[in-house]
Amino acid sequence: MNIHSQHKIDYLLYLADTALILGQRLGEWCGHGPVLEQDIAMTNISLDYIGRSRLLYQYIATLTESDEDRLAFLRDEREFKNVLLAEHPNVDFAYTVARQFLLEAFHFPYYSELKNSSDLQLAAIAEKTVKETAYHLKWSAEWMIRLGDGTEISHQKIQTALNELWSFTGELFDPADYETFMLQESIAPDLNSINKSWKEKVQQVISEATLTMPENQWMQSGGKQGIHTEAMGFILTEMQYMQRSYPGLTW
Amino acid sequence: MLRIDLEGHFQEKIDREERIEAKDWMPEAYRKTLIRQISQHAHSEIVGMLPEGNWISRAPSLKRKAILLAKIQDEAGHGLYLYSACETLGIDRDELLNELHTGKAKYSSIFNYPALTWADMGAIGWLVDGAAIMNQIPLCRTSYGPYSRAMIRICKEESFHQRQGYEIMLTLSRGSTVQKNMAQDALNRWWWPSIMMFGPNDSDSTHSAQSIKWKIKRFSNDELRQRFIDMTVPQAELIGLKIPDPDLKWNEERKSYDFGKINWDEFWNVVKGNGPCNKQRLRDRVKAHEDGAWVRDAAVAYAEKKRSGRVN
Ligand SMILES: [Fe+2]
Ligand SMILES: [Fe+2]
């Protein structure tokens, strides 16, 4: 395999793993949501992310002679390239909303740009993704505002979540080698312009939510290189349990 | 005198197969029966999300994970339709949930059994959703309009669930020995609880006669149970699984299967709260509700701020 295709596979894995792990996290809410309507909304979003990961894994499978389930269930933790924010535990509804909003505010401009990728298959996946992301962004921004400008308790909870998750946002804009390579090939978008739209959106929603922008702080990173938080091992243990326990079977 | 006329008029309407709507006069007992039945049904949908939800994170393939999530989401949707139908009878969702959480209202006992292996996702879809459909198809013609309309939407989705569950069992039965055993084990554990889902024998059923007269119910528990068994036995045979009932035998005269004695002792014990998961299920529901209280409060507070903001 040449260096070009290895970078491309790593890049696609970064997108696919981020989608799958976030989908897996959101799925934990199913049956436990704060109100039936929001239980349904979070399951909806989870389904979109799992669907997105499947499209990406299926694409990767054509480049690696693998299949979507081998990619999802038979790789080890160090091979997963999702951002750390995606694997962050749900904690409570405030953390879940803040995590979702920070990622959607990134995904919306990101996939909008990715529609212009020189890789046509990726562009087609981005086309579909942007539509659902618009809804996810609306949902999460509305809840940021509702919780921020709701009660004193909800204000405090969402501010705490925002402050804590903030340190995971730097990684979104810190390109891994494979991203830089893909940018040079006009396959991946330029993170600088995405960062600008992200900041604008985040500032606008935080202000409407009567929240305070978190202070500049040290940013966590590592996910894109496969160095994860302690939470990741448990996610994979559960997620991969069947395929690891009963190798090679069809379900 | 007036009351008798109203009741007579009401019964005539039902006998003419006309639907009763929310604003129509109805006997208090009819309203109460409906609230009990619809809310019990709504609670079953949302408590029923828990045993299957237990397997979302562990589904064996991405496709199965997506199907399972979508299925459970459908059940949440059913809960919504049914709570809304119930609200047309003048009781709100909070009150209904409170009855569930305090143990005053019941939900289908089947969900007090544990979902232990992946094959249980097959068995639940095939048998539990299958039995639910058997119960629910006649409810599409139930006399109360909002309930019957909710049931029409729900039944369409339930038959999907049943096919998806059966398809999981089919795949397992074509798989390795381990998978076949997993499927048979799930059938062994879910069979009897599933046929208990139709409720006590007609001779012991307290609510049946009046409900049939009001056309809330159209078939008796035993009739529906027999239909379910007659439908399901050949499906099990087709995929090489054995129904765990040594007394199960085709009765040529009745053109139906005879079957063994149901353990009603177990049934009543699970109803009373002694099933393997009663406490856990209720605790999970109560926890989700209590943990969500501040979220619902925030939504109300925000909506009020916006409303008063517009007025000013
Ligand atoms: Fe249902
Ligand atoms: Fe169902």
Side-chain angles (χ1 to χ4, degrees), chain B residues 226 229-230 245 247-252 254 256-260:
Chain B
Q226 183 70 58
I229 292 172
D230 291 346
D245 178 358
D247 298 323
L248 189 83
K249 217 173 86 217
W250 177 252
N251 182 326
E252 186 56 38
R254 289 200 307 126
S256 260
Y257 283 92
D258 292 335
F259 53 95

Side-chain angles (χ1 to χ4, degrees), chain A residues 36-46 135 139 143, chain B residues 73:
Chain A
L36 209 39
E37 286 82 350
Q38 299 317 317
D39 202 302
I40 293 174
M42 286 188 279
T43 308
N44 243 332
I45 301 174
S46 170
Y135 160 76
W139 179 85
W143 273 105
Chain B
Q73 189 189 32

Side-chain angles (χ1 to χ4, degrees), chain A residues 24 31 34 37 238 243 251, chain B residues 57 60 64-65 93 285 296:
Chain A
Q24 176 83 0
E37 286 82 350
E238 261 189 72
Q243 294 274 351
W251 301 92
Chain B
S57 66
R64 292 290 185 203
K65 191 192 288 290
R93 206 204 294 180
R285 283 313 317 160
R296 298 189 300 275

Side-chain angles (χ1 to χ4, degrees), chain A residues 3 15 26-27 57 73 83 110 118 120 132 189-190 201 216 229:
Chain A
I3 186 84
L15 297 178
L26 284 169
Y57 286 132
F73 299 109
V83 292
Y110 192 91
S118 67
L120 295 181
E132 54 196 39
D190 180 3
K201 181 70 185 178
N216 277 331
T229 61

Side-chain angles (χ1 to χ4, degrees), chain A residues 13 17 74-81 226 228 244:
Chain A
L13 282 172
D17 292 344
L74 295 174
R75 279 180 307 133
D76 289 333
E77 178 171 336
R78 289 288 273 106
E79 299 169 82
F80 272 77
K81 295 180 171 43
H228 293 277
R244 298 283 190 185

